[in-house]
């Protein structure tokens, strides 16, 4: 492991290409970092540990903007901690993604005219492993493009041998503690993926359907029920009414005819029914609705399954073999022909659940499944946040977390797939049920009548173990001792339910109450520049690799970090990436200028007594920026720290200090030597501060500037405590003068490079030592014998008199400004008149009145500005 101490600097090179070409730099530079072992973490090190959990991307996935966003932030955190002297571990890996991966391989087989059943389970699983080796893990290579500083030697996969052992170990432990059980319950079933899916894998959307009201029973003993799923009536085993509903009290306990069948069903009274909704009577289909299942349990009703796993009707001859949607229209038509349809409403817009993997409408289905009893686990997960062992950031996101863990239902963990961790339970010929641990032999052979459960575990079951299984658990490894608990889980607020809560439950359970991470830092989601969700259907999805090819990885990273306010969605557009590319170029050009002018990091900083006010000002601002950036990092305020670095680097270092230093360098002498050393120091620290977010350009420039091995292993800057408020005020005055005169020149239409004779009255002010810099930056010539002050600007206690007689047509300029002034005054008069009209104000909407007030304020500003310009011009 490379120690966090840079090699003795060699003489820095001043050779940098005239332009920065990210494509030539980034790939080779990243590989050199990996080869030198910069990202490897040493469990035997005596440095304090810092560990970040990476949300393992799906093996089927590729880098999208959401990945790039979160990886940028995680990389920034670990790079900074590494520079601060921590043993930083950011461990990479992938999730086997059960449903998604199986779907990929089944699609591949379909193209060959085959199905998984044609291959059989063992051969199909082998085919998935082959697919994984050939196509899986593209995202890992793309993470290198982004610059992820992960420990590649520790890469893990949720189906590898070590993690499989962890899964079997915790399953058996939960089973023996009676926290895992098998039961027949209503689950969400996907007829396309042919598996159960959890509640949080169901996406709800507003669909156009139909609401039909059906008359059940005959004669006086009739009830009307309304449903959007007429096909499920074939499985009805009761009609329920509220026990206090007088309309139906005479029917409770009686049996009525179920249309289209030869069955009668009871009328039951249940408080779940809302008597105010619809007719106050509801059909009860216990095998196809979770609420109906609960009613059925309370009243001992039969559960009749009327659809198979593909949602094809299996009962009642005339409709058997029909798809559920075909059956719906056919059944409604049959009921209509019997005069049993009382009312029909279509389209009827209602919320319908869809499989998040394939988009198929989900079917509630009674099924025998494996479940985790989450009650005690969820309570522990809630307590860990409530008592402060785990901090959620931003804090206002805690409510979402508690809403979930405090109201969590038992978790269905079995999936009817072939790809995944197979449930380690065997069933014997005499009804025996045996759970087998990772180092145990099955209780018997298939020939002896023993069979293993055919289901696999939900993908989130294994990824819930990620913070400790990747470190070697259940073995008590050196990695586990050094790097657990992890420090930060940084992830999107959208997977609090999927992943965060699962890791909290399993971590606390498996690790004897020790939390899996100390801080949960929640981010928002990446959206397009208009704030719209990125979606293929919207046509606004961006491949971050395209932007990396065009602008460089640093530009993409900086754009994403600059938009990262905690818990808030991040809008991003190509213009912003282009602006970040321009920032990288600015860093490059400024450093190149500094090197060409002798900026150096050699030797100690000169004493403050030898420094100019400009030198002391930039060092004071530098140290304040170090302190500010540290505070923002500790509060996960990536947008604020990026913005602070952007404005310090571009505005203060490059636009002001570098420009002011030009005069000093031209003058030569000891002052130039001091400024060269100060400029070297400022660039050294600034590049280090920028490095975690923009690693490539900063490492290239820092090694050139300092001769050091790499900024990756350089020491993080510390606030030295140096402050010089007097120098800051002095340079602020200088900036005011230059800014005001530049604004005046622009107002008069002068070209930036156009020279103007000027007289500077600086005596008695702190600006006296800066006359040369002021003249150089403002293109002001000496006044000369024929000087005539045609405009005088008092600013910051100084006076700048300009002779514009040879540069502008004063009469024409006065005429133009007078015309603009008249227009502004007319606008003001119109707005004032409207706002003074009581009748208008009484009738006009608030937004119209606000617009007029805005127009009045703008007119006042324009009048003041134009009048000031006129006052500065000489009389024609």
């Amino acid at each position: 492991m490379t120690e966090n101490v840079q090699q003795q600097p060699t003489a820095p090179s001043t050779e940098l290409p005239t332009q920065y070409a990210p494509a030539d730099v980034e790939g080779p530079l990243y590989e050199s970092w990996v080869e030198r072992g910069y990202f490897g973490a040493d469990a035997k090190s005596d440095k304090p540990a810092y560990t970040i959990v990476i949300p393992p991307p799906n093996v089927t996935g590729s880098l999208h903007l959401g990945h790039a966003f979160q990886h940028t932030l995680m990389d920034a955190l670990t790079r900074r901690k590494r520079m601060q002297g921590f043993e930083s571990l950011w461990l990479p890996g992938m999730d086997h993604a059960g449903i998604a991966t199986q779907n990929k391989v089944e699609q591949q087989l379909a193209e060959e005219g085959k199905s998984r059943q044609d291959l059989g389970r063992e051969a199909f699983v082998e085919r998935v492993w082959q697919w994984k080796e050939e196509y899986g893990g593209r995202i890992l290579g793309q993470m290198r493009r982004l610059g992820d500083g992960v420990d590649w030697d520790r890469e893990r996969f949720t189906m590898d041998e070590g993690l499989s052992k962890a899964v079997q170990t915790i399953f058996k432990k939960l089973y023996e503690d009676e926290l895992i059980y098998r039961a027949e319950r209503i689950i969400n079933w996907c007829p396309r993926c042919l598996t159960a899916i959890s509640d949080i894998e169901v996406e709800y959307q507003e669909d156009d359907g139909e609401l039909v009201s059906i008359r059940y029973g005959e004669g006086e003993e009739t009830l009307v029920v309304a449903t959007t799923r007429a096909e499920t009536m074939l499985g009805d085993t009761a009609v329920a009414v509220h026990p206090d509903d007088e309309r139906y009290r005479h029917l409770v306990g009686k049996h009525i005819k179920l249309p289209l069948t030869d069955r009668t069903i009871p009328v039951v009274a249940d408080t779940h029914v809302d008597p105010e909704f619809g007719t106050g009577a509801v059909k009860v289909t216990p095998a196809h609705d979770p609420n109906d299942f609960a009613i059925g349990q309370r009243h001992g009703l039969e559960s009749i399954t009327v659809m198979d796993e593909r949602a094809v009707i299996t009962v009642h001859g005339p409709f058997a073999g029909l798809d559920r949607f075909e059956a719906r229209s056919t059944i409604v038509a049959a009921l209509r022909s019997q005069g049993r349809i009382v009312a029909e409403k279509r389209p009827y817009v209602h919320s319908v659940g869809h499989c998040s993997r394939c988009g198929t409408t989900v079917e509630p289905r009674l099924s025998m499944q494996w479940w985790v009893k989450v009650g005690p686990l969820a309570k522990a997960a809630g307590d860990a946040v409530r008592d402060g062992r785990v901090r959620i950031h931003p804090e206002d996101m805690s409510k979402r977390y508690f809403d979930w863990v405090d109201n969590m239902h038992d978790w269905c963990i079995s999936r009817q797939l072939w790809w995944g961790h197979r449930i380690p339970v065997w069933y014997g010929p005499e009804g025996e049920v045996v759970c087998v641990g990772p180092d145990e032999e099955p209780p018997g052979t298939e020939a002896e009548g023993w069979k293993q459960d055919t289901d696999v575990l939900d993908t989130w079951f294994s990824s819930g173990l990620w913070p400790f299984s990747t470190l070697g658990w259940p073995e008590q490894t050196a990695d586990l001792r050094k790097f657990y608990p992890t420090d930060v889980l940084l992830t999107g607020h959208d997977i609090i339910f999927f992943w965060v809560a699962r890791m909290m439950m399993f971590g606390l359970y498996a690790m004897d109450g020790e939390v899996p991470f100390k801080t949960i830092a929640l981010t928002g989601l990446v959206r397009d520049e208009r704030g719209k969700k990125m979606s293929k259907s919207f046509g606004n999805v961006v491949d971050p690799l395209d932007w990396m090819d065009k602008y460089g990885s640093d530009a993409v990273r900086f754009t994403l970090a600059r938009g990262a306010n905690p818990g808030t969605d991040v809008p991003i557009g190509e213009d912003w990436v282009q602006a970040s590319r321009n920032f990288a170029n600015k860093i490059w050009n400024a450093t190149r200028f500094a090197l060409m002018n002798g900026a150096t990091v050699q030797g100690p900083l000169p004493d403050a007594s030898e420094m100019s006010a400009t030198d002391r000002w930039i060092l004071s601002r530098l140290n304040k920026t170090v302190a500010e950036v540290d505070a923002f990092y500790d509060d996960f305020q990536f947008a604020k720290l990026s913005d602070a670095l952007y404005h310090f680097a571009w505005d203060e270092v490059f636009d002001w200090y570098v420009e002011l230093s030009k005069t000093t360098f031209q003058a030569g002498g000891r002052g130039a030597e001091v400024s060269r050393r100060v400029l070297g120091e400022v660039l050294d620290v600034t590049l280090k501060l920028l490095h975690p977010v923009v690693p490539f350009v900063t490492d290239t420039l820092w090694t050139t500037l300092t001769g050091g091995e790499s900024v990756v292993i350089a020491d993080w800057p510390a606030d030295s405590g140096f402050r010089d408020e007097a120098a800051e005020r002095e340079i602020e005055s200088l900036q005011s003068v230059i800014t005001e005169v530049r604004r005046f020149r622009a107002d008069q239409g002068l070209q930036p490079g156009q020279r103007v004779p000027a007289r500077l009255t600086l005596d008695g002010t702190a600006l006296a030592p800066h006359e040369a810099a002021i003249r150089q930056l403002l293109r002001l010539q000496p006044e000369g014998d024929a000087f005539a002050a045609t405009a005088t600007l008092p600013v910051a206690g100084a006076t700048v008199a300009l002779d514009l007689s040879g540069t502008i047509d004063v009469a024409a300029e006065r005429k133009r400004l007078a015309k603009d002034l008249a227009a502004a005054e007319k606008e003001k008069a119109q707005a004032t008149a409207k706002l003074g009209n009581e009748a208008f104000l009484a009738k006009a909407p608030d937004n119209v009145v606000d617009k007029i007030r805005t127009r009045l304020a703008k007119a006042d500003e324009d009048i003041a500005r134009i009048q000031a310009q006129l006052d500065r011009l000489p009389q024609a």
Side-chain angles (χ1 to χ4, degrees):
M1 175 60 197
T2 305
E3 291 298 314
N4 194 35
V5 178
Q6 64 195 67
Q7 68 179 28
Q8 189 66 28
T10 59
S13 167
T14 59
E15 292 299 316
L16 279 175
T18 54
Q19 290 185 321
Y20 177 50
D24 297 338
V25 170
E26 292 176 350
L29 184 54
Y30 183 84
E31 293 308 318
S32 76
W33 292 337
V34 174
E35 288 167 10
R36 294 176 186 178
Y38 291 161
F39 306 138
D42 184 0
K44 298 177 182 177
S45 166
D46 57 3
K47 297 178 184 177
Y50 182 81
T51 315
I52 281 196
V53 177
I54 189 173
N58 286 353
V59 67
T60 59
S62 59
L63 191 74
H64 57 64
L65 270 176
H67 289 128
F69 171 54
Q70 292 181 359
H71 285 213
T72 293
L73 306 187
M74 287 185 277
D75 194 37
L77 290 172
T78 48
R79 283 179 182 270
R80 172 177 175 256
K81 285 295 183 180
R82 188 177 293 115
M83 294 172 75
Q84 287 182 317
F86 286 78
E87 198 65 44
S88 290
L89 173 60
W90 187 24
L91 187 149
M94 292 183 297
D95 192 287
H96 64 279
I99 296 176
T101 307
Q102 179 157 318
N103 282 348
K104 286 277 187 184
V105 178
E106 289 196 79
Q107 289 167 12
Q108 194 178 63
L109 286 173
E111 292 171 4
E112 301 170 12
K114 299 177 184 176
S115 69
R116 62 175 162 129
Q117 285 76 18
D118 294 332
L119 270 65
R121 183 169 191 143
E122 189 174 335
F124 176 78
V125 170
E126 179 58 33
R127 178 70 176 257
V128 181
W129 277 108
Q130 292 172 7
W131 181 93
K132 185 255 180 186
E133 293 304 314
E134 186 172 356
Y135 300 103
R138 283 181 303 162
I139 194 170
L140 298 179
Q142 294 164 347
M143 285 164 60
R144 300 171 96 92
R145 281 287 313 275
L146 188 65
D148 283 6
V150 295
D151 186 344
W152 291 109
D153 292 338
R154 283 183 167 86
E155 181 190 333
R156 302 306 297 268
F157 179 53
T158 51
M159 288 280 286
D160 69 25
E161 185 178 350
L163 272 67
S164 294
K165 182 176 182 180
V167 168
Q168 287 179 274
T169 300
I170 202 164
F171 186 98
K172 181 162 187 179
K173 180 174 169 60
L174 288 162
Y175 181 82
E176 291 178 343
D177 287 346
E178 298 184 351
L179 292 172
I180 280 184
Y181 63 94
R182 191 168 184 245
E184 193 173 43
R185 300 260 187 92
I186 292 285
I187 47 87
N188 303 298
W189 181 265
C190 176
R192 159 64 183 79
C193 298
L194 298 180
T195 182
I197 58 176
S198 66
D199 290 345
I200 52 179
E201 291 171 303
V202 177
E203 293 181 349
Y204 288 89
Q205 63 188 50
E206 296 296 306
D207 285 359
D208 286 345
E210 61 180 355
L211 180 69
V212 293
S213 297
I214 309 167
R215 179 171 53 83
Y216 282 24
E218 302 289 352
E220 293 184 2
E221 296 183 349
T222 63
L223 287 165
V224 174
V225 300
T227 181
T228 58
R229 303 171 67 224
E231 69 279 7
T232 64
M233 69 165 292
L234 301 176
D236 285 358
T237 55
V239 173
V241 298
H242 194 277
D244 298 332
D245 194 331
E246 294 291 342
R247 294 171 294 175
Y248 306 119
R249 182 167 289 179
H250 67 289
L251 292 177
V252 174
K254 294 185 176 182
H255 282 66
I256 61 174
K257 171 75 173 171
L258 178 65
L260 304 181
T261 73
D262 56 3
R263 293 191 291 118
T264 62
I265 58 176
V267 177
V268 299
D270 196 282
T271 55
H272 172 76
V273 179
D274 180 1
E276 303 298 323
F277 184 77
T279 63
V282 296
K283 58 191 286 300
V284 182
T285 321
H288 291 279
D289 183 274
N291 294 321
D292 293 3
F293 178 78
I295 294 174
Q297 293 282 295
R298 288 193 289 272
H299 297 276
L301 301 176
E302 183 184 4
S303 295
I304 301 175
T305 299
V306 300
M307 294 179 218
D308 68 10
E309 61 183 7
R310 298 183 185 275
V312 172
I313 302 298
T314 58
V315 298
H316 204 71
F319 310 109
L322 294 178
D323 171 80
R324 55 183 164 164
F325 300 121
E326 295 174 320
R328 182 176 300 172
S329 58
T330 305
I331 287 170
V332 170
L335 290 167
R336 191 184 297 114
S337 69
Q338 293 183 7
R340 290 190 172 273
I341 299 296
V342 176
E344 297 181 65
K345 183 178 181 181
R346 61 171 66 86
Y348 177 73
V349 179
H350 61 135
S351 182
V352 177
H354 294 259
C355 173
S356 62
R357 302 295 182 185
C358 69
T360 301
T361 299
V362 168
E363 189 63 42
R365 187 168 188 254
L366 185 63
S367 180
M368 183 66 77
Q369 301 286 343
W370 285 94
W371 304 81
V372 171
K373 186 185 294 183
V374 300
L377 303 174
K379 182 181 183 304
D383 290 346
V385 175
R386 287 189 170 95
D387 64 25
R389 284 175 289 155
V390 177
R391 176 172 72 111
I392 292 180
H393 187 280
E395 190 176 349
D396 58 10
M397 284 282 177
S398 298
K399 184 180 183 303
R400 296 189 66 185
Y401 176 79
F402 291 131
D403 284 347
W404 178 249
V405 298
D406 293 347
N407 300 286
M408 197 182 296
H409 301 296
D410 283 2
W411 171 20
C412 177
I413 55 171
S414 45
R415 298 291 181 267
Q416 289 63 56
L417 305 170
W418 287 355
W419 172 243
H421 295 281
R422 194 165 174 182
I423 289 176
V425 172
W426 271 255
Y427 305 105
E430 303 300 325
E432 302 96 331
V433 179
V434 178
C435 181
V436 177
D439 300 318
E440 299 170 353
E441 293 295 325
T445 65
E446 194 164 324
E448 295 169 338
W450 287 88
K451 291 186 178 180
Q452 186 178 359
D453 197 299
T454 57
D455 289 351
V456 300
L457 288 163
D458 178 10
T459 295
W460 297 102
F461 189 95
S462 51
S463 60
L465 315 181
W466 189 256
F468 52 93
S469 64
T470 54
L471 298 175
W473 187 89
E475 306 302 326
Q476 293 303 307
T477 63
D479 276 3
L480 196 63
R481 288 190 295 271
K482 178 73 175 179
F483 298 111
Y484 190 92
T486 67
D487 289 87
V488 177
L489 168 67
L490 188 145
T491 191
H493 60 66
D494 57 323
I495 60 170
I496 290 178
F497 321 127
F498 287 97
W499 192 46
V500 178
R502 312 255 188 254
M503 287 189 290
M504 285 286 282
M505 292 192 302
F506 282 165
L508 289 161
Y509 175 75
M511 300 300 292
D512 300 320
E514 199 167 17
V515 297
F517 22 74
K518 299 164 191 171
T519 300
I520 301 169
L522 296 171
T523 70
L525 309 179
V526 179
R527 297 182 176 272
D528 70 13
E529 63 267 34
R530 295 178 183 84
K532 193 173 184 180
K533 180 181 178 181
M534 287 194 175
S535 165
K536 290 180 181 177
S537 60
F538 296 153
N540 61 351
V541 173
V542 173
D543 184 344
L545 295 170
D546 292 342
W547 281 353
M548 289 184 208
D549 290 341
K550 194 170 182 179
Y551 303 110
S553 297
D554 282 334
V556 174
R557 289 172 61 115
F558 192 72
T559 304
L560 291 165
R562 205 171 178 195
N565 290 299
T568 304
D569 289 350
V570 183
I572 184 171
E574 187 167 2
D575 289 350
W576 304 338
V577 185
Q578 186 172 350
S580 295
R581 187 271 314 273
N582 295 344
F583 180 51
N585 289 342
K586 185 78 170 181
I587 301 169
W588 183 272
N589 292 333
T591 307
R592 187 168 176 273
F593 164 84
L595 288 167
M596 289 178 6
N597 282 275
T600 180
V601 297
Q602 304 298 316
L605 273 174
D607 189 79
S609 62
E610 288 193 277
M611 295 180 189
S612 68
T614 309
D615 295 330
R616 297 194 306 278
W617 161 74
I618 197 62
L619 288 175
S620 183
R621 289 295 307 126
L622 176 69
N623 279 285
K624 285 183 178 179
T625 302
V626 170
E628 190 176 32
V629 167
D630 275 333
F632 286 143
Y633 261 116
D634 292 341
D635 199 36
F636 303 100
Q637 297 282 356
F638 295 98
K640 290 181 179 178
L641 73 88
S642 299
D643 215 45
L645 284 170
Y646 176 89
H647 288 294
F648 174 72
W650 192 308
D651 300 346
E652 298 186 274
V653 179
F654 306 150
D655 277 0
W656 283 108
Y657 185 70
V658 166
E659 291 301 314
L660 291 169
S661 297
K662 290 178 180 178
T663 309
T664 309
F665 295 154
Q666 289 172 0
R670 178 58 181 163
E673 289 180 20
V674 170
S675 289
R676 290 188 183 101
R677 179 64 187 88
V678 170
L679 179 54
E681 181 75 10
V682 170
L683 287 174
D684 175 17
V685 173
T686 302
L687 292 170
K688 288 175 180 175
L689 292 174
L690 284 165
H691 171 73
V693 180
V694 284
F696 295 105
V697 68
T698 51
D699 195 42
T700 304
L701 294 174
W702 187 86
T703 52
T704 305
L705 172 71
T706 67
E709 181 180 327
S710 173
V711 73
V712 176
I713 55 169
D715 291 330
W716 182 254
D719 175 7
S720 71
F722 178 83
R723 301 288 191 276
D724 193 326
E725 302 297 337
E728 290 196 41
R729 288 193 296 272
E730 182 173 326
I731 301 306
E732 284 171 9
S733 295
L734 175 62
Q735 291 171 328
S736 296
V737 170
I738 292 170
T739 301
E740 186 64 25
V741 176
R742 279 177 173 167
R743 184 182 297 118
F744 177 76
R745 287 176 56 111
D747 287 343
Q748 307 311 314
L750 296 177
Q751 295 299 315
Q754 191 171 353
R755 294 198 166 273
V756 178
R759 176 185 297 148
L760 305 184
T761 306
L762 308 175
D763 293 343
T765 74
L767 297 173
H770 302 287
E771 179 167 354
I774 292 171
R775 287 190 177 277
Q776 180 165 316
L777 291 175
L778 291 173
R779 304 294 190 270
L780 302 180
Q781 295 176 250
E783 54 192 275
D785 294 337
F787 179 81
T790 58
T792 302
L793 305 176
V795 58
T799 302
V800 179
L802 304 174
D803 182 353
L804 304 178
S805 57
T807 56
I808 63 171
D809 183 335
V810 175
E813 185 64 14
R814 277 192 164 277
K815 186 176 180 180
R816 182 184 71 80
L817 290 172
K819 183 178 178 182
D820 290 346
L821 181 61
E825 288 174 337
K826 181 179 179 181
E827 174 73 5
K828 178 180 179 177
Q830 290 174 341
T832 301
K834 283 192 174 183
L835 293 173
N837 185 334
E838 294 296 335
F840 169 77
L841 293 176
K843 295 178 181 178
D846 289 345
N847 65 319
V848 172
V849 175
D850 287 342
K851 284 182 180 179
I852 295 171
R853 287 189 177 124
T854 301
R855 283 169 49 197
L856 177 59
K858 176 68 166 54
D860 282 334
E861 289 175 7
D862 289 344
I863 290 168
R865 176 179 54 80
I866 297 167
Q867 190 61 59
Q869 290 176 242
L870 281 166
D871 292 344
R872 289 167 179 162
L873 285 174
Q875 297 300 317

